[in-house]
């Protein structure tokens, strides 16, 4: 028997003993009356403690624990401890729930919890963005009443959730979403949505690119095949034969140029970023660029170079040469005979810049933003006549981007163009280091 119960039994024994003594000393009636009085007092004490307990149980946190002795004291203490533990557990659970909610809300993807009837139980910010859901008002409403695209309704109704479906969102500026339902628990579902707008764009670009490459190669290939059949089927005199061979060689060179430029682009995309420590001797490179431009011009243009001394670029020489060379050769190719092409290399407030100015045909403003797209040309015929592939400026942009440099294009139709490649200060090496390099070499 434990201690509090022993004390309760002791109280009964004491009352009975006192009543017995009273009975023996003062008569049996007095004894019985004393016993009844004692029992009543004990009962009143327990009723009062029970009432206090009920009062406390109604608001355990708000009222102090009632004071008591013996078995009641122990019962109160146990209940108090039980209440504290339950409070702590509830606190822990509500904090855990809050953390899960916060994690769900922080997800960039959309998450909607649906019940068995596809009514929204909960959704996060991402879902509200993707589907235009109202986080407060929409829980409890069927999701198909709120996301109204027929393909979504069909997906939900078919209950075949093995794959995600693409969905063009009517909200958030026409996002493209990948939407999937994942059943869980008894009959609940998670509706997940992911923004795949960028992926979709890349996919469209990839498809366009493949179509463009095929088209660009097919044209010279068709011409080449036509000539080959003519040469095979007809008896041609040696002069005609030579002419045909030259035309075929020209088409083969065109295909070769396209493939070379494609390979150059793919190398730019797949190689690591150009080193910051490797010095590109810009003066030597500019001399070569000018000589190549002069060779391409064949004396039909005035080509000048104005290069500041005292600094170089850190990066990949072949990429800088390809960027500068493409800009200079474009200037020659799009400038009519008698025009001028001027190359400048100079320091700028923010680093250094290479400028190619020409007095050529110029470019209408609506084309300028698209010039660096692969295969974009203002005048397809002129580009082809001058040996263009439509990839030159795409190569320039990529090579510059890899050096954190930018390309700026200014042009006036009929007057000429100015292409400026701007390098940031961290890619510019002062000549002092070059002198030291030479000394230590
Ligand atoms: P392409 O091989 O056709 O020259 P690019 O990518 O080098 O391809 O250039 C894209 C288009 O930009 C050209 O087809 C041409 O229309 C225009 N362009 C480029 N450079 C010049 C320039 N200096 N003057 C006028 N137009 C230019």
């Amino acid at each position: 028997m434990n201690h509090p119960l022993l004390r309760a039994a002791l109280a009964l024994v004491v009352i009975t003993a006192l009543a017995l003594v009273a009975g023996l000393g003062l008569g049996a009636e007095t004894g019985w009356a004393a016993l009844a009085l004692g029992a009543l007092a004990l009962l009143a004490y327990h009723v009062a403690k029970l009432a206090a307990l009920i009062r406390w149980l109604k608001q355990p946190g708000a009222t102090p624990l009632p004071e008591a002795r013996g078995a009641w004291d122990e019962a109160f203490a146990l209940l108090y401890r039980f209440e504290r533990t339950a409070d702590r557990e509830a606190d822990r659970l509500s904090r855990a729930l809050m953390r899960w909610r916060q994690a769900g809300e922080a997800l960039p993807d959309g998450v909607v919890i649906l019940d068995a009837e596809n009514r929204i139980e909960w959704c996060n910010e991402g879902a509200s963005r993707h589907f235009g859901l109202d986080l407060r008002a929409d829980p409890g409403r069927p999701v198909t009443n709120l996301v109204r695209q027929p393909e979504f309704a069909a997906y939900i109704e078919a209950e075949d959730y093995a794959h995600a479906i693409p969905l063009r969102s009517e909200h958030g500026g026409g996002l493209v979403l990948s939407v999937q339902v994942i059943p869980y628990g008894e009959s609940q579902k998670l509706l997940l949505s992911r923004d795949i707008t960028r992926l979709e764009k890349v996919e469209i670009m990839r498809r366009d690119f493949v179509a463009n490459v095929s088209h660009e190669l097919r044209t010279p290939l068709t011409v080449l095949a036509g000539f080959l059949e003519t040469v095979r089927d007809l008896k041609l005199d040696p002069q005609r034969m030579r002419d045909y061979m030259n035309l075929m060689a020209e088409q083969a060179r065109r295909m070769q140029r396209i493939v070379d430029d494609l390979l150059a682009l793919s190398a730019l995309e797949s190689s690591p970023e150009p080193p910051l420590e490797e010095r590109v001797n810009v003066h030597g490179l500019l001399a070569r660029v000018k000589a190549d431009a002069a060779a391409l011009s064949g004396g039909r243009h005035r080509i000048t170079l104005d290069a500041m001394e005292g600094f170089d670029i850190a990066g990949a020489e072949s990429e800088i040469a390809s960027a500068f060379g493409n800009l200079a050769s474009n200037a020659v190719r799009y400038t009519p005979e008698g025009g001028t092409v001027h190359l400048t290399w100079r320091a700028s407030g923010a680093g250094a810049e290479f400028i190619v100015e020409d007095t050529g045909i110029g470019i209408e403003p609506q084309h300028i933003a698209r010039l660096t797209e692969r295969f974009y040309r203002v005048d397809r015929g002129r580009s082809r006549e001058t040996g263009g592939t439509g990839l030159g400026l795409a190569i320039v942009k990529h090579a510059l981007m890899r050096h954190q440099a930018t390309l700026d294009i200014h042009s006036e139709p009929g007057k000429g163009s100015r292409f400026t490649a701007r390098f940031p200060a961290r890619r510019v090496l002062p000549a002092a280091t070059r002198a030291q390099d030479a000394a230590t070499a």
Side-chain angles (χ1 to χ4, degrees), residues 330-331 333-334 358 361-363 371 376-379 383 388-394 417 419:
N330 276 358
R333 289 168 46 232
Y334 297 105
D358 65 53
I361 59 173
I363 306 155
L371 292 183
Y376 189 86
R377 293 129 158 162
V378 177
D379 177 349
S383 160
T389 59
L391 294 169
L393 288 181
S417 311
F419 287 74

Side-chain angles (χ1 to χ4, degrees), residues 35 77 100 153 193 247 336 377:
L35 186 64
W100 278 107
S193 59
L247 288 168
R377 293 129 158 162

Side-chain angles (χ1 to χ4, degrees), residues 134-151:
D134 184 331
L135 296 179
R136 281 176 214 285
D138 287 340
R141 301 176 64 188
V143 70
T144 40
N145 285 6
L146 300 162
V147 183
R148 306 197 63 100
Q149 280 102 315
E151 59 271 39

